Every structure is written in structure tokens, then in C-alpha cells.
Amino acid sequence: MKRRLVFGLPILVAGCSVLPDRPFIESQRFTLEPRRAGPPRARSRHALLLRSMRAAPGLELRGLRRMRADGTMEVAPYEEWVAPPADLVELALRQWLVASGRFTAVTAPGSRLTTSLILETELLVLQIEGNFARVSLAALLLGQGGSLGEARPLGQTTVEARFSMEGARGSTGQAAAMETALQAALTQLEAWIVSSISV
């Protein structure tokens, strides 16, 4: 019995040497929390239902996206958002619209509140392109007169914003630049919603 154990020991030691000798790389995780600046605007009589944001292909992944010079996309394996990007952008948009003060309420799917406005959105772009961070969102605004009435389109648009990467360092700077670009895109989207309602 002892002899078998002694003979088997070199095999176990040899097996351990096959394990990959790679250093541990700690993942970096980033949030998207753009803050709306300025006081709330005049409140309208509308309540708004913000439906779940869709994600363009590839944006269901959490890794930071960078467009290479040759046009191919790099998705960072150890640098990622704390949640799928569309979920973070949806939460940011919801908080933004609430902070705007323009609506009597901003509700989520499943709410029992009857709303006169419905906003459908899709995250199209959230990435680094050369020396710029770029964000793009598509939006469809619907209106409905009553709880049983069919929704009618009030407008459809795509907003896009870029922010210079000058002075940004590493993945932390890139994530911050994308957050700033998102802030500009949400500013545009708010203005578009208000103009669509007024028309």
C-alpha cells in the first residue's frame, strides 16, 4: 500500500505542473450615473411609462467596447459595466426624467397607473471610437387617450453624442467619457420629448 502511494506521488506532482501559470487579473467594474444639472422644469399634466430599454446586438455584453482603427470591435474582458449597459442606461434615463420635473410620474412596466405617454427606447451605441466616446439612443414616443385606447405615435428620433477623450486615462477615463456622452444624449432626448408633447 505504501509502495503504491510512493509511486503515485510523482504523477500527482507532474499533474500539478500542468496547471496554467497565469497571474490573477482583477476585473474593473464601472457604473453609468449621469446627473441632470439645473433645477426641475415646469411640470406638465402627463404621466409617462418608460418601457424596458432594448439593446442593439453586442450591447448585451458588459465589457467596455472599443472600436479599433481597422474597424473591428474590441470588448474588454476584465473591464466591464456593473450590469448590462442597456439596464444601466434605462435606470439613468428614468432618474433623469424624474429629476426633470416635467412629468407627474415616470412609471415602469407593470405599474397600475394609467399614463398618457409611453416611451420606448433602444441603446444603439456605447463605445470608444478613436479619441471620442460615442453614445446613441433610439426613441419612440407614444400617446394614449384612455386606459383602453390604442397608443398613437407622437414622434420617433435618434439622439447621438460624442465626448473627447483628451486627458482621459485608462479604462476609468474611458468609462467616465462615455458617462459624459450619455449625459449629453439624455439632454437631447429630454428636449425632444418636451417638443413632441408641445406639438
Side-chain angles (χ1 to χ4, degrees):
M1 186 68 179
K2 291 183 179 179
R3 184 176 298 176
R4 289 182 183 177
L5 183 59
V6 171
F7 285 140
L9 188 58
I11 298 175
L12 291 175
V13 173
C16 291
S17 65
V18 178
L19 295 176
D21 185 18
R22 296 179 182 175
F24 172 74
I25 301 177
E26 185 177 358
S27 296
Q28 290 182 281
R29 293 182 173 84
F30 305 98
T31 60
L32 276 171
E33 298 177 328
R35 300 298 180 186
R36 186 185 182 280
R41 301 293 183 175
R43 188 182 301 274
S44 70
R45 58 182 177 82
H46 299 285
L48 183 143
L49 167 61
L50 178 60
R51 288 184 173 159
S52 299
M53 182 174 288
R54 298 183 300 274
L59 284 171
E60 68 278 359
L61 303 175
R62 297 190 184 192
L64 300 189
R65 293 164 58 90
R66 305 182 185 97
M67 181 73 75
R68 298 191 183 101
D70 61 1
T72 59
M73 183 64 64
E74 172 194 358
V75 180
Y78 300 106
E79 301 161 355
E80 59 186 19
W81 305 108
V82 296
D87 292 351
L88 295 178
V89 175
E90 178 191 336
L91 177 60
L93 174 58
R94 187 180 308 281
Q95 294 174 339
W96 186 283
L97 295 176
V98 170
S100 74
R102 295 186 183 274
F103 307 98
T104 56
V106 178
T107 67
S111 171
R112 295 183 179 181
L113 178 66
T114 300
T115 62
S116 56
L117 297 174
I118 301 170
L119 182 63
E120 298 181 355
T121 55
E122 181 177 6
L123 178 60
L124 301 176
V125 178
L126 178 66
Q127 63 197 33
I128 301 298
E129 297 180 358
N131 294 323
F132 291 90
R134 179 176 166 229
V135 175
S136 180
L137 298 168
L140 171 65
L141 185 64
L142 304 170
Q144 55 184 4
S147 58
L148 300 178
E150 291 187 2
R152 65 189 188 284
L154 299 179
Q156 189 170 13
T157 191
T158 299
V159 296
E160 181 174 312
R162 295 173 182 262
F163 185 75
S164 174
M165 291 290 299
E166 185 177 355
R169 295 185 177 181
S171 55
T172 300
Q174 293 174 352
M178 284 187 271
E179 182 176 272
T180 303
L182 177 59
Q183 182 176 352
L186 296 185
T187 300
Q188 295 178 41
L189 186 57
E190 178 189 340
W192 173 78
I193 294 172
V194 172
S195 64
S196 299
I197 296 173
S198 61
V199 171

